[in-house]
Amino acid sequence: MSERVRVLVVDDDPLVRAGLRMILGGGAGVEVVGEAGSGAEVPALVAEVRPDVVLMDLHMPGVDGLAATERLRAVPGAPEVLVLTAFEADGHVRRALRAGAGGFLLKDTPPADIVAAVRRVAAGEPVLSPEVTRRLIGLAVGAGGGGGDRRAAARERLRALNTRETEVAAEVGRGRSNAEIASALHLSVPTVKTHVSAALAKLGLNNRVQLALLVNDADLAS
């Protein structure tokens, strides 16, 4: 990632794009390098401007943000995706999470928080507070975890982890931050980060949100 975080803004509303450009343009270390009004424009623009983060609206005509996120994150070396959403009762959240979106922002998020979220997701960190993470996971997988087949499949995948990695993964599934996990398991924060990275690599996952979903599918976070 370059020193300045390069952002591509994707939203079908020109006023929203203008507002985001103004917000992000005033943020230290953040630069808007392009805009798109549809998910169909994203692949070509990503190849042209090479952003670190794509700020993606979900609801657009034609190729929506959901399909665009799935296509983009399936490509090796893809930029991070930060989704803009109304959030409440959005049945598409599950697919966006599983596709590898790095986090979610509400469109009424305070400007300073939007800038901070962009910088965090560019650094590979989740942009969701533990409370929002738990709510998203509940929406995505249901309060009772996965069904029988999905639970068994998730538990089989998690067998690839060693004992400590499994413990850390379970805490991620509870929506806890690295600092909270370190405190709960009596580890240092760098050690927690190492275990999270190892778990993601072993499981072939893009980010800790996907790890949290898998843990909840396995019903290990209750």
Side-chain angles (χ1 to χ4, degrees), residues 6 11 25 28 31-32 53 64-65 75 103 124 128-129 133 136 152 179 181 194 198 201 207 213:
R6 299 167 58 82
D11 196 293
E31 176 185 6
V32 177
V53 176
D64 64 14
V75 178
L128 309 173
S129 69
T133 299
L136 279 170
I181 295 171
T194 297
N207 56 46
L213 284 170

Side-chain angles (χ1 to χ4, degrees), residues 37-40 58-65 67 71:
S38 166
L58 277 188
H59 303 290
M60 296 180 288
V63 178
D64 64 14
R71 294 173 188 176

Side-chain angles (χ1 to χ4, degrees), residues 163-186:
T163 300
R164 183 58 89 182
E165 290 163 354
T166 301
E167 292 173 345
V168 170
E171 296 299 323
V172 171
R174 296 183 180 103
R176 290 179 175 163
S177 67
N178 286 340
E180 290 171 330
I181 295 171
S183 177
L185 298 181
H186 307 291

Side-chain angles (χ1 to χ4, degrees), residues 24-176:
L24 296 171
V30 177
E31 176 185 6
V32 177
V33 295
E35 296 179 16
S38 166
E41 303 171 42
V42 170
L45 273 172
V46 166
E48 177 184 348
V49 304
R50 305 187 69 81
D52 301 306
V53 176
V54 177
L55 194 55
M56 183 89 74
D57 183 23
L58 277 188
H59 303 290
M60 296 180 288
V63 178
D64 64 14
L66 180 61
T69 297
E70 290 176 332
R71 294 173 188 176
L72 184 60
R73 292 297 297 170
V75 178
E80 298 291 341
V81 175
L82 185 55
V83 171
L84 289 167
T85 179
F87 184 83
E88 287 84 358
D90 191 339
H92 296 311
V93 170
R94 179 183 65 252
R95 278 178 59 192
L97 284 170
R98 295 189 189 282
F104 286 78
L105 288 179
L106 301 180
K107 287 192 174 181
D108 60 357
T109 298
D113 292 346
I114 293 177
V115 174
V118 166
R119 291 192 61 80
R120 285 183 62 190
V121 78
E125 301 175 16
V127 301
L128 309 173
S129 69
E131 292 77 13
V132 174
T133 299
R134 284 190 283 269
R135 184 173 174 185
L136 279 170
I137 291 168
L139 175 62
V141 301
D149 291 342
R150 189 167 65 191
R151 182 183 298 110
R155 289 186 175 183
E156 180 62 28
R157 287 187 68 187
L158 288 169
R159 289 181 63 186
L161 306 184
N162 63 35
T163 300
R164 183 58 89 182
E165 290 163 354
T166 301
E167 292 173 345
V168 170
E171 296 299 323
V172 171
R174 296 183 180 103
R176 290 179 175 163

